[in-house]
Structures are given as structure tokens and as C-alpha cells.
Amino acid sequence: MMDITQNYFEFLALPVTYQLDLQALSERSRELQKTLHPDRFSHLSDRERRLSVQYTAYLNEAVATLKNPLSRAQYLLKLEGIDTFSESQVQLDPMFLMQQMELRESLEDIASASDPDADIERLRQTVEQEMKSLREQFDSYYQQSTPSAHEAAAVCVRKMQFIDKLGREIEVLEDQLFDE
Amino acid sequence: MALLQIAEPGQSPEPHKRKLAVGIDLGTTNSLVAAVRSGESTTLSDEGGSHLLPSVVRYTEQGVVVGQAALAKASVDPFNTIVSVKRLMGRGITDLKGLQGEAVYRFSEREGGMPYLQTVAGDKSPVEISAEILKTLKARARATLEGELEGAVITVPAYFDDAQRQATKDAAQLAGIKVLRLLNEPTAAAVAYGLDQAAEGVIAVYDLGGGTFDISILRLNKGVFEVLATGGDSALGGDDFDLALAGWFLDQLGGKEVVAGESRYLTEKARWVKEQLTDHESVTVDLDHAGQRISLDVSRELFDSLVDSLISKTIRACRRSLRDAGVELDEVQDVVMVGGSTRVPAVRARVEQFFQRAPRIDIDPDRVVAVGAAIQADVLAGNKPDSEMLLLDVLPLSLGLETMGGLAEKVIHRNSSIPVARAQEFTTYQDGQTAMMIHVVQGERELVSDCRSLAQFVLRGIPPMAAGAAKIRVTFQVDADGLLGVSAKELSTGVESEIQVKPSYGLDDNEIADMLKASYSFAEEDMVLRNLREQQVEADRLLSSLEQAMQADGQALLTAEELDHLREQMAILQTLRDGSDAGLIEQGVKVLSQASDFFAARRMDQSIKNALKGHSIDEIEGNS
């Protein structure tokens, strides 16, 4: 029933760019929530409420996708016809994979370390640094806007996925350490 | 400041036009009802002047007793007197084995694994027992406000899962209350504080009730209360403090086995000691045991050591929620305390130590949730058309599906803003497979067996294909109440299956209808009338909202032909509505709804454009 053909950027009236103004994103999101949220339709008919749930769900999905630097990058590539959301197997250069294995080993060592908190903090900083540099690389390739540059940008995204996963595993480990 | 306008009496509709709507805090230990009157939200008291209704239900051969009178009999009639029923909501019998303190009841298991409590008045489900508490509050509200209720906002712990939320909504339905919204307790508390203080910025709400713990991190901005993250434990509360102390009593008494009534006697004594220790450094308690009276001294220090690990658990949840919210400790401008258990000095001290600021306690922590809920109920009932207030919540626990090997694949992650919809594609794993089991689970763990099972259903009629060739799209949709609906579709054939998730341990719609019928307040005739009334209300709603929409946008968004057609359809529904056939009205509502869907969608698009007016297309293209 909901018929939205606009992409997330258009829907939120934001420029299609990787260097998104997050402040503007949350302002637009708030403005639209005030118009679309089901609570605005609570005393109206079922149909209005159902429609508003669909629109608000689309809005929330749009905001969540654009807010996160990784999914924002993936979404931009998707608009260029490259789908990195549902890839199951990817090829990455051996250097990168080696480095990933080392990072993973240091993650595994943390549980038995003498000062796990400090090790976690160090690893987290490494991950953040790595992510930051990949984001910059992505943006510069993306801005070149040629098919080969888009492919190179896609490689950055695949690397970011690895790093992102590692970041989440650090969080899981942190929870486990806290729960003990 | 927009927030303050909400309370201006001049903006309220005429008193006789105001719709009566209340906020209900359905608590583990106590429940409350509040309403906005003369622009101010206050809790309502019973004839005796007490605001807190003990959440205790006692079944006798003569009928049901709720509240203080039931509580007074808790230790002499333990099997028929149900306390803390909230801890049983949405739970299966197997879950209850893990909960301490509930062992006193006699459960009888029925199909579906939902626990029924054996009482002198027959087997009662937790949903029915909660409904008794809600009925009492509803009666109080009707007596105080002198009128019929339009509906209620009922609060639930933010960390309640889908089954627990659904059970709460079912209880309201059974009590004959229309739920305007299920609202998370910390969000309600934030509303109560936010309106008072006209606050902006990030706040943390620490909510330790009788049986549940919640921590929520919210951002307040121009009337919008946005939950950034939430966490907690739906089985940790002040009751556990009492149990810890009662356990210590038992050790001092020689650790002997106790009968059902005595364990409740000890926890009641423990609660009394806990409450005394809020204002005193130590207290002496007399315990009657095995025909003797024994005196014990309990110091605050001893009590603190008994509950220390429980408090630590809550602090860990605070740390995790801050991280999930992406908020640094020093960004938190205020910490709000909610729930009676935050009166424990050790709790306040630990929270202050963690957040590095003194927590706010200026609104009575027992009442703050109901007060906030009533403010939202007033807005949702349509009494405050100019209100800017909007509450945006998140999903507390990830939702997922069982995949091969008993693993849970997350479809929607915790702390996603709701409403939310997400689809995921799955495939068959055997050649010629024609059916697929869809098992919906909630929780953060990897293994399905460690998550909460919400529902199972089978998608049939998949055409036989090679393994991996079929494409099955499963769509999860969570509404603003945090309730889940799931649909599954095989993409090549369009075979579809849809369920409103009714939790494995819940009541299905037929059971609720039966219970409604069985309850003495609705005779058969009443049911027919009630149904007709409901359909008429829905028809009126549709007609009036369509009428308004046509007045506002009919000229701009509809062709003359479309306008005429809609007018015709509306006239038909009006005729049906004035008749007395509920079924026909229901049909008519459906037909008119469908016929005007396109108009509703056009209006929605129009309002999106208006909302973003001023952000021109130049701006969109400017940077790209």
C-alpha cells in the first residue's frame, strides 16, 4: 500500500553524499516523525494507523541505514548498482586477511590476559583507527565516481565489514568479562 | 517553549468534549492509575485516600478481592492469594522453575505450556489475574472521573519481551480497557520529568521496581523523547532483595525447611526490614519460628552486603546501555530514579558513583510512571491537538529466526527504533521440500535454546524444487507498542502465510473471547450489542477522518471523478452504520477503507513534502 519510490536521501531531503551531516539527519528524522508516527493517528481510523506504521518503519530504516558509516557506504554503492548487503563470499587481498587473523588472535588472547580492560581498550583503538582510514579511502574512491573507482570503493566496504564484525566481537567479549 | 503549552488549560477542549483517558502503571508490587485533570497529571486515590493499589489478588468462594484486603491475607491463604503476578506474565511453566519465590503456588499445566494457578475459584492464568487488578483501577477511574474511559496507556518494563507485552495487552482486553499504547516505564518517567523541567539533552532513567529492572538512555529535543538504548533484566527487582534477606533469616533460624505460608511470612518480614533500613542504620526484627520468637539485628551494612551483587548487575546493564546508545558518561545531563526499590540507600549510592552525579528523586518514584503515562494518554485521546510531544521507543531485545543447527539468525537487532519492518530471505535445504517451519525467537544469544521462543508456524505449498532454489521471504513488523507480526512468502509462487505473533505461552483470541463471555459482566446480549457498538465506532472513525481529509485536501489531491466516487461509497457506509448488522458494517468499513487507500497514501506523501518544506531540491543536489 505504501508507495515510496524515493531513495533514503531523497526521502529525507538530504544530499547524496558519504560525508553526511548527522545533525541534519536527526533533525529531518524528527520533523518526519512528528508527521508520520502512529501516535499522531491514534484517534483516527485503523487504515491511517496502519499506513503510518509502514511509513514510520521506512523512515526508521532510512535513518538507521544512513546513520551508520558502514551501511551508509553500502547504501551508496547499492544506488550505483553494486550490492554488498547480501554477498556471501568475497575475495580480499592476502595482506589484509593476514592482518585480520592477527587482530583476531589478540582478541582471543584477551580473556586470559592479566589486564583485559587495557587490552580491550588497545584493540578497540586499533579497530577504530582502521575503520577511520577505510572510511576515508571509501569516500575518495566514491567521489571519483567512475565504475572502476566504485569497484575499489566496494573493496573498502568489504574490509569495513570485517572490521565491523571484529568490533562487535569485542563488545561481546566485554559483556562476558563484565558478567563474570 | 513548546513543552509548556501542553499544560495550558486554555487550549483544552471544552470539559464535556474531553475524552477521559488514563495512565496505568501495572506494577509487580503496586499498581496505580493517573489522569490529567485541570491541566495537571495526578494519581487517583481510592475512597480511603490511598493511591497505591497492592498488586495482590485473592480468590475466595465468595468472589475476588484485590489490593490491601488481599495482601492482608497473603500469608494465611497463600495458594489463593496471588502476589507479584507480573513476574508470571508471558512466561511458560518451564521458565518459572528458574524464578525464585514463586514456588508457593500450585500450577496446573495446560496445552501450550502456559501456567495456570490453582485457586479455590478454579484455575487462573496470569493474564486473568492481572485483568482483576486492571478492573479495580478502571472502576476507581470511572468513579473519580465520573464517566466512561476512552482508553488507557498501560506501562510495561522497557525490557519486556513480545510475549510479556502481548500478555499485558490481553489482560487489558479482558478487563474491557482499550489500550491506546503500551508505553515503556522509563519513557513514561522521562515524560513526567521532561514536562516538569522542560529539559533538553541526554537523560538516563534507572528504574528498579519490585520485580523488574530497566535502564533507558533518552535524548530529549523539542518535545520529542527519543529512546537511544534500553537494557535491563525482567526478572530482577526489590523482591530479590527481600528474598536475599529472607534467605539470611532462614540461615539464622537453622536453615530448616519451611512451609509455603512461612516463606512468605519471612519475605514479608524481610521487606519490612529493608524499608526500615532506608532511614535507620540498623533494625531489630522478631521472627516467630517453630513455636519460638527469635530476635535478629540487621545492620544496613549487612543488608548491603547481601544485595551487593544484585546491584552490580544493574550497574553492568547501565554501562552496556550507554555503549549501545553511543553516549559518553559525561554527556548524561540527568539521572532519574524510578521505582520503589530506588529508595534503598545502597542503590542510590552506587548509581551516583557510576554516573558521577546525584540522581533525581524529586517526583515520588512510586508515582512518576503513572503520571507520565497519563500525560501521554491525554495526548493520544486527542485532547491536545497542538501538542508537540512525541515518544519514540526502541526494540529491547533482538528478534530472529531459527536456522539450521539450532542457531538464531537475527532479523531485527535490539535497540532498533520502532515501528520497524525488515525482511530476510531464506531457502530450502532439501530437494523437493514443500513446507518450511518458521520459528520466531527473541534474545541476544547465538543458540535458539538460549533465546525465548515466541511462535512457530509452517509455510506450506512451496512448489517442489531443487534444494536452495526456492526463495522464502520472511517479513517482521514491529508496531509502536513493540508487538511483532510475521509474514512469510515464497517468491516464485506467491504462496503466503501470515500471523500476528501470539506467543507460545499466551492466550489465543478464542480463549480471550470465551473468557469475556464467561465473565458475569457481559451477558450474551451485551456481547452482541458491544460488538455492534465497536463496529459503529470504527465506521464513525473512518467516515469522520475521511470527511476531514476531503475538506482539507479533496480539491488539491482528488479528481472530480474520484471525489464523486468516494462520496458515493461514504453514503453507503453511512446507511449500513445506521442499521444494526455488525457484520455488514464491518464489511462496509473494509470496502470504504480499500476504496480510499490511495487518497490516504497521497495525503501521507503530501505531509512528508510539507514537513520537509524549506529544504529545497537545490539543497539536495548542492553537494552531490
Side-chain angles (χ1 to χ4, degrees), chain A residues 6-23:
Chain A
Q6 294 163 309
N7 69 44
Y8 293 162
F9 291 100
E10 291 164 353
F11 183 66
L12 286 153
L14 290 166
V16 184
T17 167
Y18 189 60
Q19 306 214 345
L20 196 62
D21 177 353
L22 292 178
Q23 188 69 33

Side-chain angles (χ1 to χ4, degrees), chain B residues 27-30 84 86-87 185 207-213 235-242 271 274 338-342 366:
Chain B
T28 310
T29 319
N30 293 298
S84 301
K86 188 173 181 178
R87 303 188 99 176
E185 287 161 10
D207 180 355
L208 189 61
T212 56
F213 167 67
L236 170 67
D239 287 3
D240 298 288
F241 290 16
D242 303 343
R271 171 173 304 170
K274 174 184 77 178
V338 186
S341 305
T342 57
D366 282 324

Side-chain angles (χ1 to χ4, degrees), chain A residues 39 42 47 55 60-61 178, chain B residues 181 316 380 419 422 593 596:
Chain A
D39 284 355
S42 62
R47 186 258 313 281
Y55 274 83
N60 283 331
E61 188 68 24
F178 280 138
Chain B
R181 176 93 120 80
R316 281 200 294 270
L380 293 184
R422 204 158 293 159
S593 251
S596 55

Side-chain angles (χ1 to χ4, degrees), chain A residues 1 11 15-16 28 30-31 34-35 39-40 42 44 46-47 53 55 60-61 174-175 178-179, chain B residues 181 221-222 316 319 323 376 380 388 419 422 538 541 593 596-597 605 611-612 615 619-620:
Chain A
M1 197 161 69
F11 183 66
V16 184
R28 298 295 154 77
R30 256 197 310 277
E31 287 164 24
K34 283 187 176 179
T35 312
D39 284 355
R40 290 282 181 238
S42 62
L44 296 178
D46 273 347
R47 186 258 313 281
V53 168
Y55 274 83
N60 283 331
E61 188 68 24
E174 227 179 340
D175 284 345
F178 280 138
D179 284 339
Chain B
R181 176 93 120 80
N221 190 308
K222 299 189 179 76
R316 281 200 294 270
R319 195 189 323 256
R323 191 190 66 200
Q376 203 208 8
L380 293 184
E388 291 271 288
R422 204 158 293 159
E538 191 54 40
R541 235 185 220 145
S593 251
S596 55
D597 271 350
D605 289 336
L612 297 176
H615 307 298
E619 190 180 344
I620 297 176

